[in-house]
């Protein structure tokens, strides 16, 4: 069964396989996550579960959320995310999901918010080559060039690659391999980089483009 868990990026390092090859990995603190709500087709029109992650001080929690957490029987949590599930009856409010849901060799899709880089020009943002620095050119060396037409249709089309805010977007990296797990520390190590900076929130779930992992023995 495909499983979803919330985590945070702790950083990158490298480990060595049994042949001595160095593998770049990202260390993710995955869970523990508490199920705050279970939604079904009969009551909500779709099947999903609501996950909470990372403890939060009660004095920083609003009254409506305090009641929501109290109903689920858990302490206030910092992050709340919802994920679709095929069979909501297999989950219950208050249930804890840990990193043990993932094992070495699993393929996962990881979603996070990419690093914000502020306002950027077309060369940095889109990889434009820029203008020639010689042969009589008087244009800005890092400018975008022509962005429209002179007469017809005499406008700039939508989605034209232009300067603007770069980064800070939701990004999903698919089919990353779980290299190792440390269930006693709530850690999973995945091969390669993942979106976002240190301590950034991540959504880790079994890959949609790979076969679902077999049922785990409890």
């Amino acid at each position: 069964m495909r499983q979803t868990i919330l985590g945070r990026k702790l950083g990158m390092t490298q480990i060595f396989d049994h042949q001595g090859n160095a593998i770049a990995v990202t260390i993710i603190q995955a869970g523990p996550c508490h199920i705050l709500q279970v939604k079904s087709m009969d009551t909500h029109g779709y099947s999903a579960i609501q996950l909470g992650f990372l403890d939060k001080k009660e004095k920083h929690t609003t009254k409506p959320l305090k009641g929501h957490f109290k109903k689920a029987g858990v302490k206030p949590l910092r992050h709340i995310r919802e994920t679709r599930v095929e069979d909501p009856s297999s989950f219950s409010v208050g249930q804890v999901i840990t990193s043990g849901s993932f094992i070495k060799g699993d393929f996962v899709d990881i979603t996070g918010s990419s690093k914000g880089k502020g306002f950027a020009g077309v060369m940095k943002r889109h990889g434009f080559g820029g203008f020639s620095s010689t042969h009589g050119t008087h244009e800005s060396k890092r400018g975008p060039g022509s962005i429209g037409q002179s007469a017809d249709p005499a406008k700039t089309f939508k989605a034209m690659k232009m300067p603007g805010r770069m980064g800070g977007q939701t990004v999903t990296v698919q089919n990353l391999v779980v290299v190792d797990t440390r269930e006693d520390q709530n850690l999973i190590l995945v091969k390669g980089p993942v979106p976002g900076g240190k301590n950034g929130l991540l959504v880790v779930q079994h890959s949609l483009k790979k076969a679902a992992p077999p049922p785990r023995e409890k």
Side-chain angles (χ1 to χ4, degrees):
M1 182 178 69
R2 291 188 173 92
Q3 188 65 273
T4 301
I5 195 171
L6 303 182
R8 62 174 177 170
K9 179 179 178 179
L10 299 183
M12 292 193 68
T13 185
Q14 64 180 10
I15 62 175
F16 297 89
D17 61 14
H18 62 281
Q19 296 179 341
N21 299 317
I23 303 174
V25 297
T26 301
I27 305 175
I28 301 172
Q29 178 190 344
C33 293
H34 299 268
I35 296 181
L36 306 178
Q37 191 175 10
V38 178
K39 299 186 177 182
S40 62
M41 290 293 296
D42 297 334
T43 56
H44 297 87
Y46 65 99
S47 301
I49 58 174
Q50 191 180 85
L51 300 174
F53 175 59
L54 280 185
D55 293 339
K56 180 181 181 181
K57 291 184 178 180
E58 189 171 350
K59 67 178 183 179
H60 295 156
T61 307
T62 62
K63 286 186 178 180
L65 279 178
K66 286 181 182 178
H68 188 59
F69 292 129
K70 185 177 180 180
K71 186 177 180 181
V74 301
K75 295 181 179 179
L77 299 171
R78 185 176 301 276
H79 301 291
I80 301 176
R81 293 294 186 274
E82 190 175 281
T83 180
R84 297 291 185 100
V85 294
E86 296 179 358
D87 183 17
S89 62
S90 59
F91 300 93
S92 60
V93 174
Q95 179 182 340
V96 179
I97 298 177
T98 66
S99 61
S101 303
F102 301 86
I103 62 174
K104 181 178 179 180
D106 282 351
F107 288 89
V108 293
D109 297 338
I110 298 181
T111 302
S113 180
S114 62
K115 291 182 179 179
K117 303 182 185 299
F119 191 93
V122 291
M123 291 182 71
K124 180 177 180 180
R125 193 180 186 208
H126 301 295
F128 283 19
F131 290 93
S132 171
S133 298
T134 57
H135 298 287
T137 180
H138 297 286
E139 300 289 342
S140 169
K141 303 299 186 294
R142 300 181 66 86
S146 175
I147 59 172
Q149 302 76 31
S150 60
D152 184 27
K155 68 176 182 179
T156 300
F157 287 104
K158 289 183 179 179
M160 183 71 64
K161 292 181 178 180
M162 301 276 279
R165 184 172 176 271
M166 182 179 179
Q169 297 178 329
T170 300
V171 179
T172 299
V173 180
Q174 298 180 323
N175 301 333
L176 295 178
V177 181
V178 176
V179 178
D180 196 7
T181 61
R182 313 280 170 83
E183 189 174 355
D184 56 329
Q185 299 174 295
N186 294 313
L187 300 178
I188 63 173
L189 282 65
V190 298
K191 185 177 181 180
V194 302
K198 189 175 180 179
N199 291 323
L201 178 67
L202 300 173
V203 179
V204 183
Q205 54 187 342
H206 285 116
S207 177
L208 293 175
K209 295 184 177 178
K210 298 288 186 178
R216 311 293 195 209
E217 293 184 2
K218 296 183 179 181

